[in-house]
Amino acid sequence: MSTASIKLGCIADDFTGATDLANNLVRAGMRVVQTIGVPQGPLDTEADAVVVALKSRTIPALDAVEQSLAALRWLQAQGAQQIYFKYCSTFDSTPAGNIGPVTDALMDALADVEGSDFTIATPAFPDNKRTVFKGYLFAGDVLLNESGMQNHPLTPMTDPNLVRVLQAQTRRKVGLIDYATVAQGETAIRARIAALKAEGVGMAVVDAVSNDDLLRLGPALAGMPLVTAGSGVAIALPANFGLAPASQAAALPAPGGLQAVVSGSCSVATNAQVAHFIATGRPALALDPLRIAAGENVAAEALAWAKGHIARGPVLVYSTAEPAAVKAIQGRLGVEQAGAMVEQTIAAVARGLVEMGVRQLVVAGGETSGACVQALGIAQLRIGGQIDPGVPWCHAASPVAPQGLHFTLKSGNFGTEDFFTKAFTVLNA
Ligand code: ADP
């Protein structure tokens, strides 16, 4: 079946960021499909928005541009009326890019479309305590450069002034639509955009300190060919297409099959979630990275163990460990090698569990999620209802589950302590 054209076409610069954006669009009333990379063929299902998930945040700028343009061409072929370039709410980038160069390239590629000589940039995401005031980005109660992001290994953010940060990355002139204007709403924002354009400004950072600010900004973005932002602005765009929050947007096929959790995240929240799951008395198996490194078939053992328990309810297979234990393993195996080995083992367990009949799968860990989705051969996923902020249930077909399975991909510090049990309750409610 070929499909009607999509309304919003999104390009996200990483995988969990794509899901975060999709989650906000669904909550605001859009039916959303997320693709892993640029699809080979046309979209084969109905959707209001598609989010193409790239891994382009920290790759060389030229590669990020090339991948983003490929995503743009595919989204245009699906009929996208507006393009949304999604980056991190901490504006992760360097003077080399990739936010500026990708935005420039998208604007150039859209040059024939009326209004493409101007776009906005705002990572504001008040639900996650990212706010922008006078062009300065705050993370929680502190400026970006005091938030820990100044020490980021790949994209250290040492300047909280986004006008300066973005100006260093683009040949276009960067301006500001400040709080006083945003507070007055659509007419004032459109007037400010016209004034900025008259001054030769091609992109403007926009202040927003609350969801109300984003909702005031939204109507002024109707018809803008390209919007660039974190995931926050997404709450205000579906209304421009006549869509309102509706539970059907999050509708997924009815759940069935066995239930399991795999966790390769060692974040604070995940450690608490593993401990909570074990405390409920449910079956849980820890994987030993040293035995994986010794070449033992840890995945096969875990699957044999799971087989004995899984008929009675969800099981947990995890490598999650406290920081000291992780450091010790990394010291013996090397950081990257330990990570890759554990990810591959958990991905093999996830695949084996699905082969065993698991159709409701919780995956904890950003990198771990990437490995699991790859092992399951998933190319497109539909985004369903939210379990916790930023973490929706998803549904997709896989070569090992042709009729599809439900799964959720939880990045490290998301989710309440009871997430590993609550997720199933939410899905089967
Ligand atoms: P998060 O979203 O919490 O950052 P990720 O899955 O992105 O989780 O990253 C966790 C990394 O730690 C992965 O590469 C994973 O393979 C690795 N890892 C998991 N468990 C252990 C462990 N016990 N020792 C060392 N590394 C581990």
Side-chain angles (χ1 to χ4, degrees), residues 158-236:
T158 54
D159 185 353
N161 183 304
L162 298 184
V163 176
R164 279 195 303 254
V165 169
L166 187 54
Q167 189 65 78
Q169 301 178 28
T170 171
R171 58 180 190 277
R172 288 178 168 80
K173 197 169 156 189
V174 180
L176 174 67
I177 301 174
D178 83 351
Y179 187 75
T181 303
V182 173
Q184 293 173 61
E186 179 182 1
T187 307
I189 296 167
R190 285 191 183 272
R192 175 69 179 151
I193 289 173
L196 286 169
K197 281 167 79 162
E199 289 170 23
V201 169
M203 48 183 96
V205 172
V206 186
D207 282 356
V209 301
S210 67
N211 282 347
D212 285 343
D213 292 332
L214 294 174
L215 294 170
R216 276 188 278 272
L217 170 65
L221 304 178
M224 191 177 280
L226 173 70
V227 169
T228 87
S231 67
V233 169
I235 67 170

Side-chain angles (χ1 to χ4, degrees), residues 264-267 289 319-321 326 329-330 338-339 342-343 364-368 411-412:
S265 160
C266 298
S267 297
S319 66
T320 305
V326 174
I329 294 292
Q330 289 174 334
V342 173
E343 281 165 36
E367 295 299 325
T368 307
S411 72

Side-chain angles (χ1 to χ4, degrees), residues 143-424:
L143 285 164
L144 179 65
N145 61 323
E146 300 169 14
S147 69
M149 278 301 293
Q150 69 273 28
N151 301 319
H152 192 283
L154 301 175
T155 53
M157 302 301 290
T158 54
D159 185 353
N161 183 304
L162 298 184
V163 176
R164 279 195 303 254
V165 169
L166 187 54
Q167 189 65 78
Q169 301 178 28
T170 171
R171 58 180 190 277
R172 288 178 168 80
K173 197 169 156 189
V174 180
L176 174 67
I177 301 174
D178 83 351
Y179 187 75
T181 303
V182 173
Q184 293 173 61
E186 179 182 1
T187 307
I189 296 167
R190 285 191 183 272
R192 175 69 179 151
I193 289 173
L196 286 169
K197 281 167 79 162
E199 289 170 23
V201 169
M203 48 183 96
V205 172
V206 186
D207 282 356
V209 301
S210 67
N211 282 347
D212 285 343
D213 292 332
L214 294 174
L215 294 170
R216 276 188 278 272
L217 170 65
L221 304 178
M224 191 177 280
L226 173 70
V227 169
T228 87
S231 67
V233 169
I235 67 170
L237 294 188
N240 291 342
F241 297 95
L243 297 168
S247 55
Q248 306 94 280
L252 297 179
L258 301 171
Q259 302 172 327
V261 183
V262 294
S263 176
S265 160
C266 298
S267 297
V268 176
T270 310
N271 269 289
Q273 287 155 352
V274 167
H276 184 275
F277 186 92
I278 294 169
T280 65
R282 290 178 169 81
L285 180 74
L287 304 179
D288 179 354
L290 292 180
R291 293 194 56 233
I292 300 172
E296 297 186 42
N297 199 341
V298 172
E301 286 171 18
L303 290 167
W305 168 85
K307 209 166 192 157
H309 296 279
I310 202 156
R312 291 187 293 281
V315 300
L316 165 65
V317 177
Y318 67 100
S319 66
T320 305
E322 298 287 347
V326 174
K327 273 228 153 62
I329 294 292
Q330 289 174 334
R332 291 183 64 166
L333 304 178
V335 176
E336 275 181 23
Q337 258 196 312
M341 265 181 334
V342 173
E343 281 165 36
Q344 287 318 311
T345 302
I346 292 184
V349 170
R351 189 183 161 99
L353 286 168
V354 173
E355 283 168 345
M356 202 183 285
V358 167
R359 293 294 179 272
Q360 303 177 32
L361 179 68
V362 173
V363 183
E367 295 299 325
T368 307
S369 291
C372 288
V373 165
Q374 198 174 21
L376 289 168
I378 289 170
Q380 289 187 11
L381 41 142
R382 185 169 285 278
I383 307 294
Q386 173 174 299
I387 307 162
D388 272 324
V391 203
W393 273 106
C394 309
H395 186 269
S398 150
V400 281
Q403 303 304 313
L405 77 151
H406 292 80
F407 57 96
T408 181
L409 309 172
K410 188 197 80 71
S411 72
N413 273 319
F414 284 180
T416 55
E417 206 172 86
D418 59 350
F419 187 89
F420 291 166
T421 49
K422 182 174 72 177
F424 299 110

Side-chain angles (χ1 to χ4, degrees), residues 56-131:
S56 57
R57 183 169 297 164
T58 54
I59 63 176
L62 278 178
D63 295 339
V65 163
E66 194 180 311
Q67 290 182 23
S68 303
L69 289 176
L72 172 68
R73 285 190 291 273
W74 184 85
L75 290 164
Q76 286 179 311
Q78 314 312 310
Q81 297 162 36
Q82 185 171 45
I83 301 296
Y84 190 130
F85 170 39
K86 192 283 178 186
Y87 37 72
C88 188
S89 65
T90 41
F91 214 71
D92 299 23
S93 55
T94 71
N98 289 335
I99 296 175
V102 168
T103 304
D104 275 331
L106 293 172
M107 290 177 82
D108 293 346
L110 287 162
D112 290 344
V113 184
E114 162 116 29
S116 61
D117 54 344
F118 185 87
T119 188
I120 61 139
T122 183
F125 188 13
D127 281 349
N128 263 353
K129 300 190 165 51
R130 310 283 194 257
T131 54

